[in-house]
Amino acid sequence: MATEPPASPLGPYFAEAGQASGFDFVHFNGMSGKLYFNEMVGPGGALLDYDNDGDLDIFMVQGTMLPADADSAGALFPPRHPQPFSDRLYRNELGANSASAPLRFTDMTAKSGLAELAEQDGTSRGYGMGVATGDYDNDGFIDLYVTRFGGNQLLRNGGDGTFLDVTALAGADDTRWSVSATFLDYDRDGWLDLFIANYVDFSLASNKQCRAATGSADYCGPLSFPPQPDRLLRNRGDGTFEETTRRAGLLEAFGGALGVVAADLDLDGWTDIYVANDGVANQMWINGGDGTFANEAVFGGSALNQEGHPEAGMGVDAGDFDNDGDEDLFLAHLSKETNTLYINNGSGQFQDLTLQAGLANASWEATGFGTAFLDFDNDGWLDILVLNGAVKIIEELARQSDPYPLHQQNQLFRNRGDGRFDEVSAEAGQVFELSEVSRGAALGDIDNDGDVDILLANNNGPARLLVNQNQGNHWLGLKLHGVGGRDMIGAWVEVVRSHGPSLWRRVTTGGSYASARDARLLVGLGSVEDVESVRILWPSGLREQHTIDGVDRYLSLGEGRGDALP
Amino acid sequence: MTPYPEPWVVGCRPRRSATGSLASTVGGPLLAVACWLIVLSCGGADPRREALEPLPQPDLSRFEKAVQDQLQRRHGEVEEALESEAPAPVLAAAFGELGRHYDVYELLQEAEACYRNAHQLAPEEVRWTYHLAVVMQSTGRLPEAATLFRQVLEQQPENQPAQVRLGETLADDNRPQEARQALQRALAIDPDSALAHYFLGLLENGEGRAAQAVTHLQKALELQPQATIVHYALAQALRADGRLDEARLQAAQVGSEEVRLKDPLVQALGDLRAGAAAHIRRAAKAQVEGYYEAARQEYERAIAADPANPEAQQGLAAMLLELDDLEGARRHFQKALDLGAGNAAQVHFNLGALEILADRLEAGLLHYRQALEIDPQLTAVRFALAKAMADAGRYEDATAAYDEILQLEPQNIAARLNLGLALARQGKLAAAKGVQEEVLSRDLTDGERAEALSHLAALEASGGDLEAAEKLYRRAAAVSPQGAGAWFGLGNLLGRQGRYPEAIEAYMASLAIDPKNPRAWLGEVTARVLTEDWTSARQRLEVALQEIPDDNELAQTLARLLVTCPDPEIRDTARGLQLAQQVFERSRSMESAETVAMALAAEGRGAEAVDLQQQIVGQLEAAGQLDAAAAARAQLERYRRLAIR
């Protein structure tokens, strides 16, 4: 295992693709001065190739007025997009163009049917929070599950550029306040199931008057409202889902959930579910392989921080940051708490080593939401992104008459390769100097140039696309697919190298906060082109090896086409 | 007055400390100080004055009036001390006091400036150094905090809170060796410092020395067994040490009670808070901890500070409700509504529950409906509304209300089960059966499945299909072996068929799970009596009364058995009479009076039995209960015959 910290690349690491690219989404949160709890919680966004043209498109979740039928003239910040308030879809025009061509996006909200859906739903539609992506019907086109304060929506990708609301038909409705959700194949039947993280039992009518230390009005915290149970929907394989929450044992524990990640934390071949709760203990649902789950978070050391305190779990991600073959966890938390790094011992048991990793003090003043393990410099070590934005009024800003005094700067932490991280926000680019109310983060290679880019969803502000400026290291892109071309969410991939430890990555679209990422794997390799093979544990349980001939490119690997492994 | 525990405070950093400090939410390193008063009053005479930081002038407009007045008063004292060129210790005290007041209202940068000045002017005053160190610690400036705590310890080497905080600060700054030394010195000052042991345990575990961690954490728990938070760290350390069974035991005991350290200086800050918000905060804390009387007093103080505060009115009402003052609660809930409480739906919900508790059903239902007008999504209110109507025998209305819940929440199993019951009560057995069968097709917990099966069994029994009912009860018991309801239902069903030994077995299975169910005890005893097993009937009744000593029906049944049993070994008329009289004293019911009369007759006190029974007959006739009166009269004739003999 490498012990020398890799040399730090020169910044800036990211540059923003400006509005000239055509990506002009501005989030509207409907705030009118009543400090509704839900108005500062969203949004998320997704990077997905909805038209299967080989590049990543963008889906952004939008808010509404509160209540939905209120006159938008009453909003403190006017909406930038035409009404009705609709989630928005942007098509990437990169297609087969060179990766060096400038990024261009076309707003497909109307053509995709999303605007029409918003029109039809009118005020009955919920207030957008987040999005999960996955090909639930195995037709080769990625579908959307939009979480809302109000009714969630399953939007089936018709394969012709349009989306159809099939929520009721599929039995995927949930009228509780959901924020994050994730697709996973928990029963390994080849059909993506759906886990929905629900937050608290809040309604506009039950909005409470909460106060800051000054005695002035402030947003309430999660413990002001009762938590709502999460849900697990099993895909029957016929376009419908069945409720299995109770049967799976998931009602035995729940808190106000904001983040969720699906990963095989105990490496037994069955996908587990980790739920980040706001202000109470997290759950780590270990999949028993028989349709039931057991919450092992307390025993397994990932329920609370090292001291036994619950933290305000927002975003969460799983990734093998120390390259030891198991997935570790990182959670973004409130200010005056640290963000927390739980290190896996290989059997689904964790230790909070945030302090030792050098990540404690850096997050002390910030409230983190979207977060992700990402290898931004392609050196083979997963770094950490944290998007910040407060949930309680920052008094210094309020005293300066700031109209939305929650904004903070985002952060990037570089993995030194020795178990420690350095904050490199100052070198990360101008966009990291902005102070905004950031929430969801989605990752993906938007320009197909072999490095990871970031979609950043701001509350009450413009979304931003952070384009990686390419650090020059080698990389390998993998698109794993099964029969019919579906993405192989849950596949566990070992990239075997001749001069270094193997790198382990999982195919997922989940994690982070209320957002969905590129289903392709992008593996940074550092300065040496030494990949021998790729070993894959497919979601079905099949193990295969593929020989790799050449790097710095995307490869498409299909299940059943490699050499079988025992 | 309810005893209210003295608050304990420690550690400023919620992440790495056992409790949060008073300073917790102000973010951002920079503060725009609106106005500057440059301190030059002493010319160059005193170098300590020259280096003072400007007197902060924070914008207080966001604070309530009482707090503004309080802070301005303190601010004026500093200004006065500056203008009068007061001696350094006096000026230091004025700055320090102002700092403490800023500190408590989380104006940390202003507090820091004041503490710095106080520290500068009077470095010998350890308290200002200490407060400054705590602010540094709470804002994450750990090296500076450590330096300041060390300064405190140079002057007061035995200052235990400073020593523990130094250890905590160093640990947070990832300086484990220094932290360990500091904490060990804290233990040298006080070997019984649970917090020092706790932090040492965390340190050792973080460095992979699990066995040492276990020792420290166990010691912390031994010193403060109530500190349930320690179980978590101990579970992790035991797990790391390979002691998995012990780790699981500890994990099962994890709670949120902190390890505490007495820290008088920080603790005293809380007493400075003024204004309604401060009282409400204290009240809420007392409320959460179950000190309702203390909470009531704090809410009353909040109302005195701000009579138009709906939160305080609502809080007071809730406390009065806890303290059984229903009228007071109603009055203050209403005031909260009049003052425009933000969560009016919840207030109406509370008022509805309160009215129903006071047997004013219509008033209660009205409040529930008002709550739903404000927030139609409140299914808890709908549920309460439906239940209240069902309890009042208005099953049709209850059915409609459960239907509405199910339209909003089709997955609400409890509503569906209750809907089935309400339909059954209306005699709509087929519809009720359909509902229960529909429930059974859903995703259910074992308990819910057993309940649905039991309901279905009861419906089958009502329809006369006893065989199907029995099968369903047995299925329910198999699905949820720990559910007493299915066994109880089965006992009733078997008893009804005269299958007493089997009924007894079922009742006993139910009672093994839920020994507090008097109906199951009565069912079992009845079955034993009907099989003329007097001995075991009496034994079981004695056991039942040990389980539920205040249950009148059980006591009365035992009394009747004792006075009427044909077996002289069981019969004990003196004790029977005594029991009957006790029950009568407690319940004053007609039935208990009849038992007393029965016991009197059995004791040979026929005249007294006749007297009492005559009164009973009269009462029943007056109440128009003619059948019962006729039965009582027949009994009266028997007593008369006994009296003549």
Side-chain angles (χ1 to χ4, degrees), chain A residues 203 211 243 246 299 306-307 309 336 338 350 352 396, chain B residues 13 15-17 24 27 172 198 239 311 375 443 448:
Chain A
S203 67
R211 292 180 188 279
E243 175 81 48
R246 289 162 197 269
F299 175 73
Q306 181 208 4
E307 290 182 350
H309 292 124
K336 310 301 174 195
T338 68
F350 291 81
D352 169 0
E396 288 95 323
Chain B
R13 309 195 65 201
R15 172 62 174 80
R16 296 296 165 199
S17 72
S24 65
D172 286 352
Y198 178 56
R239 199 195 68 207
E311 277 172 83
D375 186 355
D443 174 41
E448 287 166 342

PDB file of all heavy atoms in Angstrom, chain A residues 203 211 243 246 299 306-307 309 336 338 350 352 396, chain B residues 13 15-17 24 27 172 198 239 311 375 443 448:
ATOM      1  N   SER A 203     -46.159  20.163   8.135  1.00  0.00           N
ATOM      2  CA  SER A 203     -47.038  20.740   7.118  1.00  0.00           C
ATOM      3  C   SER A 203     -46.996  22.247   7.281  1.00  0.00           C
ATOM      4  O   SER A 203     -46.593  22.747   8.341  1.00  0.00           O
ATOM      5  CB  SER A 203     -48.465  20.227   7.284  1.00  0.00           C
ATOM      6  OG  SER A 203     -48.993  20.722   8.493  1.00  0.00           O
ATOM      7  N   ARG A 211     -37.146  30.073  17.484  1.00  0.00           N
ATOM      8  CA  ARG A 211     -36.394  31.302  17.727  1.00  0.00           C
ATOM      9  C   ARG A 211     -34.906  31.053  17.884  1.00  0.00           C
ATOM     10  O   ARG A 211     -34.493  30.005  18.375  1.00  0.00           O
ATOM     11  CB  ARG A 211     -36.924  31.992  18.995  1.00  0.00           C
ATOM     12  CG  ARG A 211     -38.318  32.517  18.800  1.00  0.00           C
ATOM     13  CD  ARG A 211     -38.867  33.206  20.021  1.00  0.00           C
ATOM     14  NE  ARG A 211     -40.270  33.512  19.808  1.00  0.00           N
ATOM     15  CZ  ARG A 211     -40.708  34.566  19.126  1.00  0.00           C
ATOM     16  NH1 ARG A 211     -39.854  35.423  18.619  1.00  0.00           N
ATOM     17  NH2 ARG A 211     -42.000  34.768  18.963  1.00  0.00           N
ATOM     18  N   GLU A 243     -45.061  -2.760  -1.388  1.00  0.00           N
ATOM     19  CA  GLU A 243     -44.557  -2.227  -0.126  1.00  0.00           C
ATOM     20  C   GLU A 243     -43.945  -3.364   0.690  1.00  0.00           C
ATOM     21  O   GLU A 243     -44.622  -4.349   0.978  1.00  0.00           O
ATOM     22  CB  GLU A 243     -45.743  -1.620   0.625  1.00  0.00           C
ATOM     23  CG  GLU A 243     -45.455  -1.129   1.994  1.00  0.00           C
ATOM     24  CD  GLU A 243     -44.823   0.255   1.994  1.00  0.00           C
ATOM     25  OE1 GLU A 243     -45.334   1.129   1.301  1.00  0.00           O
ATOM     26  OE2 GLU A 243     -43.801   0.408   2.683  1.00  0.00           O
ATOM     27  N   ARG A 246     -42.387  -2.968   6.160  1.00  0.00           N
ATOM     28  CA  ARG A 246     -42.609  -3.663   7.424  1.00  0.00           C
ATOM     29  C   ARG A 246     -41.982  -5.040   7.405  1.00  0.00           C
ATOM     30  O   ARG A 246     -41.284  -5.439   8.337  1.00  0.00           O
ATOM     31  CB  ARG A 246     -44.115  -3.815   7.691  1.00  0.00           C
ATOM     32  CG  ARG A 246     -44.803  -2.553   8.025  1.00  0.00           C
ATOM     33  CD  ARG A 246     -46.301  -2.694   7.830  1.00  0.00           C
ATOM     34  NE  ARG A 246     -46.918  -1.396   7.774  1.00  0.00           N
ATOM     35  CZ  ARG A 246     -47.386  -0.754   8.830  1.00  0.00           C
ATOM     36  NH1 ARG A 246     -47.317  -1.311  10.010  1.00  0.00           N
ATOM     37  NH2 ARG A 246     -47.927   0.429   8.714  1.00  0.00           N
ATOM     38  N   PHE A 299     -24.216  -1.174  17.189  1.00  0.00           N
ATOM     39  CA  PHE A 299     -23.142  -2.158  17.409  1.00  0.00           C
ATOM     40  C   PHE A 299     -22.001  -1.924  16.413  1.00  0.00           C
ATOM     41  O   PHE A 299     -20.832  -2.030  16.756  1.00  0.00           O
ATOM     42  CB  PHE A 299     -23.693  -3.567  17.247  1.00  0.00           C
ATOM     43  CG  PHE A 299     -22.634  -4.635  17.338  1.00  0.00           C
ATOM     44  CD1 PHE A 299     -22.060  -4.961  18.565  1.00  0.00           C
ATOM     45  CD2 PHE A 299     -22.197  -5.302  16.209  1.00  0.00           C
ATOM     46  CE1 PHE A 299     -21.071  -5.931  18.645  1.00  0.00           C
ATOM     47  CE2 PHE A 299     -21.209  -6.272  16.287  1.00  0.00           C
ATOM     48  CZ  PHE A 299     -20.648  -6.583  17.510  1.00  0.00           C
ATOM     49  N   GLN A 306     -18.006   9.403  17.440  1.00  0.00           N
ATOM     50  CA  GLN A 306     -17.113   8.663  18.325  1.00  0.00           C
ATOM     51  C   GLN A 306     -17.530   8.768  19.792  1.00  0.00           C
ATOM     52  O   GLN A 306     -17.410   7.829  20.562  1.00  0.00           O
ATOM     53  CB  GLN A 306     -15.691   9.220  18.148  1.00  0.00           C
ATOM     54  CG  GLN A 306     -14.643   8.534  18.989  1.00  0.00           C
ATOM     55  CD  GLN A 306     -13.480   9.463  19.312  1.00  0.00           C
ATOM     56  OE1 GLN A 306     -13.495  10.648  18.966  1.00  0.00           O
ATOM     57  NE2 GLN A 306     -12.477   8.922  19.962  1.00  0.00           N
ATOM     58  N   GLU A 307     -18.051   9.928  20.152  1.00  0.00           N
ATOM     59  CA  GLU A 307     -18.397  10.152  21.552  1.00  0.00           C
ATOM     60  C   GLU A 307     -19.778   9.640  21.930  1.00  0.00           C
ATOM     61  O   GLU A 307     -20.168   9.724  23.080  1.00  0.00           O
ATOM     62  CB  GLU A 307     -18.357  11.653  21.839  1.00  0.00           C
ATOM     63  CG  GLU A 307     -16.962  12.196  21.827  1.00  0.00           C
ATOM     64  CD  GLU A 307     -16.946  13.673  22.156  1.00  0.00           C
ATOM     65  OE1 GLU A 307     -18.022  14.278  22.207  1.00  0.00           O
ATOM     66  OE2 GLU A 307     -15.861  14.191  22.355  1.00  0.00           O
ATOM     67  N   HIS A 309     -22.576  10.867  20.397  1.00  0.00           N
ATOM     68  CA  HIS A 309     -23.567  11.907  20.119  1.00  0.00           C
ATOM     69  C   HIS A 309     -24.204  11.694  18.756  1.00  0.00           C
ATOM     70  O   HIS A 309     -23.497  11.489  17.773  1.00  0.00           O
ATOM     71  CB  HIS A 309     -22.914  13.299  20.109  1.00  0.00           C
ATOM     72  CG  HIS A 309     -22.433  13.746  21.443  1.00  0.00           C
ATOM     73  ND1 HIS A 309     -21.139  14.120  21.691  1.00  0.00           N
ATOM     74  CD2 HIS A 309     -23.080  13.854  22.620  1.00  0.00           C
ATOM     75  CE1 HIS A 309     -21.014  14.463  22.956  1.00  0.00           C
ATOM     76  NE2 HIS A 309     -22.171  14.303  23.546  1.00  0.00           N
ATOM     77  N   LYS A 336     -20.867  23.310  14.158  1.00  0.00           N
ATOM     78  CA  LYS A 336     -20.617  22.920  15.565  1.00  0.00           C
ATOM     79  C   LYS A 336     -20.668  21.410  15.751  1.00  0.00           C
ATOM     80  O   LYS A 336     -20.723  20.918  16.874  1.00  0.00           O
ATOM     81  CB  LYS A 336     -21.577  23.597  16.553  1.00  0.00           C
ATOM     82  CG  LYS A 336     -21.683  25.091  16.392  1.00  0.00           C
ATOM     83  CD  LYS A 336     -20.368  25.787  16.545  1.00  0.00           C
ATOM     84  CE  LYS A 336     -20.502  27.269  16.220  1.00  0.00           C
ATOM     85  NZ  LYS A 336     -19.211  27.929  16.012  1.00  0.00           N
ATOM     86  N   THR A 338     -18.715  18.013  13.596  1.00  0.00           N
ATOM     87  CA  THR A 338     -17.813  17.778  12.466  1.00  0.00           C
ATOM     88  C   THR A 338     -18.601  17.022  11.398  1.00  0.00           C
ATOM     89  O   THR A 338     -19.634  16.427  11.689  1.00  0.00           O
ATOM     90  CB  THR A 338     -16.624  16.902  12.863  1.00  0.00           C
ATOM     91  OG1 THR A 338     -17.102  15.587  13.136  1.00  0.00           O
ATOM     92  CG2 THR A 338     -15.909  17.462  14.079  1.00  0.00           C
ATOM     93  N   PHE A 350     -17.545  -0.224  11.948  1.00  0.00           N
ATOM     94  CA  PHE A 350     -16.916   1.057  11.627  1.00  0.00           C
ATOM     95  C   PHE A 350     -16.292   1.706  12.855  1.00  0.00           C
ATOM     96  O   PHE A 350     -16.669   1.435  13.984  1.00  0.00           O
ATOM     97  CB  PHE A 350     -17.964   2.015  11.043  1.00  0.00           C
ATOM     98  CG  PHE A 350     -18.450   1.598   9.673  1.00  0.00           C
ATOM     99  CD1 PHE A 350     -19.421   0.617   9.534  1.00  0.00           C
ATOM    100  CD2 PHE A 350     -17.908   2.152   8.536  1.00  0.00           C
ATOM    101  CE1 PHE A 350     -19.862   0.219   8.282  1.00  0.00           C
ATOM    102  CE2 PHE A 350     -18.331   1.766   7.275  1.00  0.00           C
ATOM    103  CZ  PHE A 350     -19.317   0.803   7.148  1.00  0.00           C
ATOM    104  N   ASP A 352     -15.208   5.772  13.947  1.00  0.00           N
ATOM    105  CA  ASP A 352     -15.187   7.197  13.597  1.00  0.00           C
ATOM    106  C   ASP A 352     -13.747   7.687  13.778  1.00  0.00           C
ATOM    107  O   ASP A 352     -13.258   7.824  14.901  1.00  0.00           O
ATOM    108  CB  ASP A 352     -16.156   7.931  14.531  1.00  0.00           C
ATOM    109  CG  ASP A 352     -16.031   9.447  14.443  1.00  0.00           C
ATOM    110  OD1 ASP A 352     -15.192   9.945  13.660  1.00  0.00           O
ATOM    111  OD2 ASP A 352     -16.778  10.135  15.163  1.00  0.00           O
ATOM    112  N   GLU A 396     -24.558  37.069  12.126  1.00  0.00           N
ATOM    113  CA  GLU A 396     -23.706  38.126  11.547  1.00  0.00           C
ATOM    114  C   GLU A 396     -24.280  38.595  10.222  1.00  0.00           C
ATOM    115  O   GLU A 396     -24.298  39.779   9.917  1.00  0.00           O
ATOM    116  CB  GLU A 396     -22.276  37.621  11.293  1.00  0.00           C
ATOM    117  CG  GLU A 396     -21.470  37.422  12.540  1.00  0.00           C
ATOM    118  CD  GLU A 396     -21.547  35.980  12.985  1.00  0.00           C
ATOM    119  OE1 GLU A 396     -22.632  35.366  12.837  1.00  0.00           O
ATOM    120  OE2 GLU A 396     -20.544  35.463  13.461  1.00  0.00           O
TER     121      GLU A 396
ATOM    122  N   ARG B  13     -17.565  21.944  22.904  1.00  0.00           N
ATOM    123  CA  ARG B  13     -17.679  21.480  21.538  1.00  0.00           C
ATOM    124  C   ARG B  13     -18.536  20.232  21.500  1.00  0.00           C
ATOM    125  O   ARG B  13     -18.098  19.156  21.889  1.00  0.00           O
ATOM    126  CB  ARG B  13     -16.292  21.186  20.969  1.00  0.00           C
ATOM    127  CG  ARG B  13     -15.336  22.354  21.181  1.00  0.00           C
ATOM    128  CD  ARG B  13     -14.117  22.211  20.327  1.00  0.00           C
ATOM    129  NE  ARG B  13     -14.464  22.289  18.937  1.00  0.00           N
ATOM    130  CZ  ARG B  13     -13.699  21.801  17.976  1.00  0.00           C
ATOM    131  NH1 ARG B  13     -12.593  21.179  18.272  1.00  0.00           N
ATOM    132  NH2 ARG B  13     -14.067  21.902  16.726  1.00  0.00           N
ATOM    133  N   ARG B  15     -19.206  18.209  19.326  1.00  0.00           N
ATOM    134  CA  ARG B  15     -18.640  17.076  18.605  1.00  0.00           C
ATOM    135  C   ARG B  15     -17.697  16.271  19.475  1.00  0.00           C
ATOM    136  O   ARG B  15     -17.687  15.065  19.459  1.00  0.00           O
ATOM    137  CB  ARG B  15     -17.904  17.607  17.365  1.00  0.00           C
ATOM    138  CG  ARG B  15     -17.095  16.546  16.626  1.00  0.00           C
ATOM    139  CD  ARG B  15     -18.051  15.463  16.112  1.00  0.00           C
ATOM    140  NE  ARG B  15     -17.334  14.513  15.281  1.00  0.00           N
ATOM    141  CZ  ARG B  15     -16.594  13.537  15.753  1.00  0.00           C
ATOM    142  NH1 ARG B  15     -16.466  13.382  17.057  1.00  0.00           N
ATOM    143  NH2 ARG B  15     -15.989  12.708  14.934  1.00  0.00           N
ATOM    144  N   ARG B  16     -16.874  16.953  20.220  1.00  0.00           N
ATOM    145  CA  ARG B  16     -15.854  16.241  20.979  1.00  0.00           C
ATOM    146  C   ARG B  16     -16.022  16.377  22.472  1.00  0.00           C
ATOM    147  O   ARG B  16     -15.171  15.954  23.222  1.00  0.00           O
ATOM    148  CB  ARG B  16     -14.467  16.766  20.583  1.00  0.00           C
ATOM    149  CG  ARG B  16     -14.108  16.498  19.144  1.00  0.00           C
ATOM    150  CD  ARG B  16     -14.006  15.002  18.872  1.00  0.00           C
ATOM    151  NE  ARG B  16     -14.018  14.761  17.455  1.00  0.00           N
ATOM    152  CZ  ARG B  16     -14.306  13.610  16.893  1.00  0.00           C
ATOM    153  NH1 ARG B  16     -14.638  12.580  17.621  1.00  0.00           N
ATOM    154  NH2 ARG B  16     -14.292  13.473  15.604  1.00  0.00           N
ATOM    155  N   SER B  17     -17.086  17.047  22.891  1.00  0.00           N
ATOM    156  CA  SER B  17     -17.244  17.219  24.320  1.00  0.00           C
ATOM    157  C   SER B  17     -18.487  16.494  24.797  1.00  0.00           C
ATOM    158  O   SER B  17     -19.307  16.051  24.009  1.00  0.00           O
ATOM    159  CB  SER B  17     -17.366  18.700  24.655  1.00  0.00           C
ATOM    160  OG  SER B  17     -18.618  19.167  24.237  1.00  0.00           O
ATOM    161  N   SER B  24     -23.214  28.194  20.672  1.00  0.00           N
ATOM    162  CA  SER B  24     -23.246  27.071  19.746  1.00  0.00           C
ATOM    163  C   SER B  24     -23.611  27.387  18.319  1.00  0.00           C
ATOM    164  O   SER B  24     -23.376  26.577  17.450  1.00  0.00           O
ATOM    165  CB  SER B  24     -24.205  26.011  20.270  1.00  0.00           C
ATOM    166  OG  SER B  24     -25.482  26.517  20.274  1.00  0.00           O
ATOM    167  N   GLY B  27     -21.856  31.532  13.469  1.00  0.00           N
ATOM    168  CA  GLY B  27     -20.849  31.069  12.534  1.00  0.00           C
ATOM    169  C   GLY B  27     -20.105  32.230  11.932  1.00  0.00           C
ATOM    170  O   GLY B  27     -20.431  33.391  12.116  1.00  0.00           O
ATOM    171  N   ASP B 172      -9.147  17.196  20.608  1.00  0.00           N
ATOM    172  CA  ASP B 172      -9.837  17.713  19.419  1.00  0.00           C
ATOM    173  C   ASP B 172      -8.850  18.237  18.384  1.00  0.00           C
ATOM    174  O   ASP B 172      -9.144  18.255  17.188  1.00  0.00           O
ATOM    175  CB  ASP B 172     -10.801  18.846  19.807  1.00  0.00           C
ATOM    176  CG  ASP B 172     -12.033  18.336  20.502  1.00  0.00           C
ATOM    177  OD1 ASP B 172     -12.212  17.105  20.542  1.00  0.00           O
ATOM    178  OD2 ASP B 172     -12.811  19.151  21.024  1.00  0.00           O
ATOM    179  N   TYR B 198     -13.504   9.248  30.633  1.00  0.00           N
ATOM    180  CA  TYR B 198     -14.237   9.090  29.367  1.00  0.00           C
ATOM    181  C   TYR B 198     -13.369   9.547  28.187  1.00  0.00           C
ATOM    182  O   TYR B 198     -13.201   8.824  27.198  1.00  0.00           O
ATOM    183  CB  TYR B 198     -15.530   9.900  29.455  1.00  0.00           C
ATOM    184  CG  TYR B 198     -16.372   9.896  28.226  1.00  0.00           C
ATOM    185  CD1 TYR B 198     -16.814   8.710  27.653  1.00  0.00           C
ATOM    186  CD2 TYR B 198     -16.749  11.090  27.618  1.00  0.00           C
ATOM    187  CE1 TYR B 198     -17.614   8.709  26.520  1.00  0.00           C
ATOM    188  CE2 TYR B 198     -17.550  11.096  26.495  1.00  0.00           C
ATOM    189  CZ  TYR B 198     -17.975   9.913  25.934  1.00  0.00           C
ATOM    190  OH  TYR B 198     -18.761   9.916  24.815  1.00  0.00           O
ATOM    191  N   ARG B 239     -15.945  -4.169  21.147  1.00  0.00           N
ATOM    192  CA  ARG B 239     -15.981  -4.815  19.828  1.00  0.00           C
ATOM    193  C   ARG B 239     -14.583  -4.873  19.231  1.00  0.00           C
ATOM    194  O   ARG B 239     -14.142  -5.902  18.726  1.00  0.00           O
ATOM    195  CB  ARG B 239     -16.921  -4.025  18.914  1.00  0.00           C
ATOM    196  CG  ARG B 239     -17.411  -4.790  17.723  1.00  0.00           C
ATOM    197  CD  ARG B 239     -18.011  -3.836  16.714  1.00  0.00           C
ATOM    198  NE  ARG B 239     -16.992  -3.000  16.133  1.00  0.00           N
ATOM    199  CZ  ARG B 239     -17.181  -1.792  15.634  1.00  0.00           C
ATOM    200  NH1 ARG B 239     -18.365  -1.244  15.672  1.00  0.00           N
ATOM    201  NH2 ARG B 239     -16.190  -1.101  15.109  1.00  0.00           N
ATOM    202  N   GLU B 311     -46.448  31.248  22.354  1.00  0.00           N
ATOM    203  CA  GLU B 311     -45.684  30.031  22.709  1.00  0.00           C
ATOM    204  C   GLU B 311     -45.732  29.784  24.210  1.00  0.00           C
ATOM    205  O   GLU B 311     -45.890  28.656  24.671  1.00  0.00           O
ATOM    206  CB  GLU B 311     -44.214  30.216  22.342  1.00  0.00           C
ATOM    207  CG  GLU B 311     -43.860  29.942  20.924  1.00  0.00           C
ATOM    208  CD  GLU B 311     -42.427  30.361  20.695  1.00  0.00           C
ATOM    209  OE1 GLU B 311     -41.535  29.568  21.019  1.00  0.00           O
ATOM    210  OE2 GLU B 311     -42.200  31.488  20.236  1.00  0.00           O
ATOM    211  N   ASP B 375     -55.409  22.206   8.940  1.00  0.00           N
ATOM    212  CA  ASP B 375     -54.452  21.295   8.309  1.00  0.00           C
ATOM    213  C   ASP B 375     -55.114  19.938   8.053  1.00  0.00           C
ATOM    214  O   ASP B 375     -55.098  19.053   8.904  1.00  0.00           O
ATOM    215  CB  ASP B 375     -53.222  21.116   9.213  1.00  0.00           C
ATOM    216  CG  ASP B 375     -52.145  20.303   8.527  1.00  0.00           C
ATOM    217  OD1 ASP B 375     -52.383  19.810   7.402  1.00  0.00           O
ATOM    218  OD2 ASP B 375     -51.047  20.162   9.105  1.00  0.00           O
ATOM    219  N   ASP B 443     -48.514  -5.396   3.310  1.00  0.00           N
ATOM    220  CA  ASP B 443     -47.215  -5.577   3.958  1.00  0.00           C
ATOM    221  C   ASP B 443     -47.372  -5.278   5.449  1.00  0.00           C
ATOM    222  O   ASP B 443     -47.592  -4.141   5.833  1.00  0.00           O
ATOM    223  CB  ASP B 443     -46.237  -4.596   3.310  1.00  0.00           C
ATOM    224  CG  ASP B 443     -44.896  -4.589   4.005  1.00  0.00           C
ATOM    225  OD1 ASP B 443     -44.434  -5.683   4.359  1.00  0.00           O
ATOM    226  OD2 ASP B 443     -44.326  -3.509   4.182  1.00  0.00           O
ATOM    227  N   GLU B 448     -49.197  -6.831  13.481  1.00  0.00           N
ATOM    228  CA  GLU B 448     -50.360  -6.348  12.745  1.00  0.00           C
ATOM    229  C   GLU B 448     -51.099  -7.506  12.078  1.00  0.00           C
ATOM    230  O   GLU B 448     -52.334  -7.545  12.062  1.00  0.00           O
ATOM    231  CB  GLU B 448     -49.917  -5.346  11.682  1.00  0.00           C
ATOM    232  CG  GLU B 448     -49.510  -4.005  12.270  1.00  0.00           C
ATOM    233  CD  GLU B 448     -48.767  -3.131  11.270  1.00  0.00           C
ATOM    234  OE1 GLU B 448     -48.275  -3.674  10.254  1.00  0.00           O
ATOM    235  OE2 GLU B 448     -48.651  -1.933  11.518  1.00  0.00           O
TER     236      GLU B 448
END
